Amino acid sequence: MIRSTSCLLALHALFLTGCSDSKESNPSEGTDTSTTCAVAEVGNQPIDRMPTGEVFWLPQGIEADCTHLQWTVLDGPGPNEVQTDEDGTQRFTPTAVGTYTFGSPHVYEELSLTTIDSQDVPFHNLMYLPSASMVEVDDEVWVAEAYAPRIARMKASNGKQIGAIEVGPWPVSLAWSQARSEVLVVQAAGDTLGVVDVTQERLVDSIWVGDEPVEVVISPDGQTAYVSLATEDAVAVVDLQTRQVTERIDVIRDPRAMDIDGAGAILYIAGHRTGQPDRYPYGEDADVQTDIIGIDLESGEQVFQVEEAGNIITDLLVDDDQDVLFVSTTVSFPERGLTTLSEAPFEGQVQRYDLGSGSLESSTVLQPSDEDSGFVLGPQGMARLDNSIWVVAEGSEVLVELKAKNLSELQRIAVEGAPRFIASIDDDIWVHASQYFEV
């Protein structure tokens, strides 16, 4: 506990190094010297070159009665404020370049943070790939660029780019809360869920949700977000009013793709790589993981299950009108070997399941376009438009239209740039060719 002497806050590592009897140090304005607190280390965060869009975690007090230090922004180039979690942890998301100054009524000295433009940071390939990376926002289409810390904005009427919003590193998934006029962005490299104010056109906060977030969906009322956490085998539940993680739902192995029904009652989750029971030529694996589940969000009970849909599941699409669930997946057949062209060892499939029983109603194999072509590889995102289901294949760079009723193929269109996600907006199908930075 610091008493009559002053204590210097070591800004380099953000922890208290010791106390000084010097009379020259001046406390920050409003400091209550009777309750001045020692400050604990909070990790090796940069304070001289913090990239914009990343989260700065403010230091906490060491003593039991000093856990809530009540940091505030005293001065800075941007409008964002310090956010406080229920446990007293405080965070700040800078969006402007310059120097921010923080003060606390319980810390003797002020704290400084200098930021740099995230666009000037050298590229570090963490290989977080986009998933559900486009969303319609009023009369615009917003696209998470993944490989750059930006959300691109385009006019829905003509596709013309009208600007970009800087966010945290590796933005891979978007969801729009129309009720709150906010777009949520999964910032995979920081394990956070960013909150973008649509009216202000800027990132206003970033919420830590857990390890390796992949995809976000929002409840129909726009007040709750669900974020799949691949390495935690869980889904984080976020209250958007308080911006707090209120719950973690244990789900299935490697959860990624999700969708929610129109009533907001059931959340459907797919494991990305849950395992293949067939261990040809050694027999089947007894420890088989369920591929897809549905969770009743009121009771927390599992009410839907598909044991074996495929080996790599990339997207789920709930169709409330038909009471069915569409699944895009890659299915492997190890018994076929790797040399035959008549029967592919891997099949790209779109499947249709009854939501009531969980039974498979129909499926289709994405066949070669002609005898000189191979099977369609790497099906990814799906979208519903009128009476059709569209699916895009990253490996074969092709967009395929199927009849929603029986999954028979109607047409296919070549799309370059390793496309991973599509969206149905107005009467068009938008394709995110992420590696070409194109839509």
Side-chain angles (χ1 to χ4, degrees):
M1 172 76 69
I2 303 173
R3 294 184 173 85
S4 60
T5 59
S6 63
C7 197
L8 299 177
L9 185 65
L11 300 186
H12 177 69
L14 295 182
F15 61 91
L16 191 69
T17 57
C19 295
S20 169
D21 291 320
S22 171
K23 304 291 186 180
E24 297 179 1
S25 297
N26 296 315
S28 61
E29 184 178 352
T31 302
D32 181 358
T33 55
S34 65
T35 59
T36 304
C37 297
V39 179
E41 182 179 357
V42 295
N44 188 24
Q45 299 184 97
I47 63 166
D48 294 323
R49 291 178 56 82
M50 166 72 75
T52 55
E54 297 195 13
V55 182
F56 178 65
W57 302 96
L58 288 142
Q60 293 181 281
I62 294 175
E63 295 90 347
D65 58 349
C66 283
T67 56
H68 301 279
L69 296 182
Q70 301 172 313
W71 292 99
T72 58
V73 179
L74 302 179
D75 189 29
N80 283 3
E81 299 293 338
V82 173
Q83 305 293 328
T84 305
D85 286 334
E86 291 179 346
D87 64 358
T89 303
Q90 292 189 286
R91 65 184 182 273
F92 178 72
T93 306
T95 56
V97 174
T99 299
Y100 295 84
T101 304
F102 304 89
S104 165
H106 306 295
V107 178
Y108 197 79
E109 289 202 340
E110 297 173 354
L111 176 105
S112 294
L113 171 70
T114 301
T115 60
I116 60 173
D117 192 337
S118 61
Q119 309 303 312
D120 296 334
V121 176
F123 178 69
H124 183 192
N125 190 5
L126 299 179
M127 203 56 182
Y128 292 118
L129 300 176
S131 172
S133 53
M134 282 190 298
V135 68
E136 183 178 11
V137 181
D138 294 325
D139 61 348
E140 298 179 7
V141 178
W142 289 26
V143 185
E145 296 192 26
Y147 310 107
R150 295 189 302 263
I151 297 174
R153 297 170 49 225
M154 303 178 181
K155 293 294 293 184
S157 59
N158 56 20
K160 181 179 180 181
Q161 186 166 350
I162 55 177
I165 297 173
E166 293 187 15
V167 292
W170 290 88
V172 295
S173 178
L174 300 178
W176 180 36
S177 171
Q178 186 173 9
R180 300 185 55 80
S181 191
E182 293 174 343
V183 168
L184 305 182
V185 51
V186 172
Q187 300 166 147
D191 295 335
T192 58
L193 182 67
V195 180
V196 177
D197 187 296
V198 173
T199 303
Q200 300 182 56
E201 300 178 0
R202 65 180 179 86
L203 182 70
V204 295
D205 195 9
S206 293
I207 307 158
W208 183 84
V209 289
D211 190 51
E212 200 165 325
V214 180
E215 192 165 311
V216 57
V217 298
I218 295 181
S219 60
D221 65 4
Q223 303 302 322
T224 306
Y226 302 92
V227 184
S228 53
L229 305 173
T231 56
E232 293 191 23
D233 299 344
V235 170
V237 183
V238 182
D239 183 325
L240 297 179
Q241 178 63 38
T242 62
R243 296 181 188 165
Q244 305 284 331
V245 175
T246 59
E247 185 182 2
R248 272 182 170 74
I249 305 173
D250 292 330
V251 288
I252 54 181
R253 177 182 174 185
D254 195 13
R256 300 201 179 206
M258 298 187 297
D259 202 2
I260 192 168
D261 68 353
I266 301 176
L267 178 68
Y268 296 90
I269 309 125
H272 183 58
R273 295 175 183 264
T274 57
Q276 162 67 282
D278 187 354
R279 293 292 186 262
Y280 177 86
Y282 302 106
E284 291 197 355
D285 188 350
D287 184 22
V288 178
Q289 301 286 332
T290 299
D291 281 357
I292 304 170
I293 61 172
I295 300 291
D296 185 303
L297 294 173
E298 183 175 356
S299 67
E301 298 295 321
Q302 181 178 309
V303 295
F304 179 88
Q305 177 173 298
V306 176
E307 283 288 346
E308 183 63 29
N311 302 96
I312 303 174
I313 301 174
T314 48
D315 200 14
L316 300 179
L317 179 61
V318 174
D319 189 324
D320 291 300
D321 294 335
Q322 299 187 72
D323 202 30
V324 297
L325 176 71
F326 293 99
V327 179
S328 64
T329 180
T330 296
V331 183
S332 71
F333 299 90
E335 71 278 7
R336 295 179 181 176
L338 298 175
T339 59
T340 177
L341 296 178
S342 59
E343 290 186 304
F346 303 98
E347 289 181 357
Q349 295 186 9
V350 175
Q351 303 168 347
R352 173 186 164 122
Y353 292 88
D354 180 83
L355 286 179
S357 64
S359 60
L360 177 66
E361 290 188 347
S362 60
S363 66
T364 187
V365 177
L366 301 174
Q367 299 283 347
S369 58
D370 53 57
E371 61 181 14
D372 296 323
S373 303
F375 282 76
V376 173
L377 299 178
Q380 297 288 330
M382 296 180 295
R384 174 76 186 265
L385 180 61
D386 298 329
N387 296 318
S388 296
I389 294 294
W390 294 77
V391 60
V392 71
E394 179 185 25
S396 298
E397 297 189 320
V398 65
L399 177 67
V400 181
E401 181 185 9
L402 308 170
K403 285 184 179 180
K405 278 289 185 182
N406 59 18
L407 299 179
S408 61
E409 184 172 331
L410 296 173
Q411 65 168 321
R412 58 178 61 188
I413 303 168
V415 181
E416 296 182 342
R420 290 186 57 85
F421 187 68
I422 58 177
S424 172
I425 298 174
D426 295 331
D427 294 325
D428 300 318
I429 294 293
W430 290 62
V431 182
H432 183 198
S434 60
Q435 291 193 13
Y436 277 14
F437 285 83
E438 291 182 354
V439 172

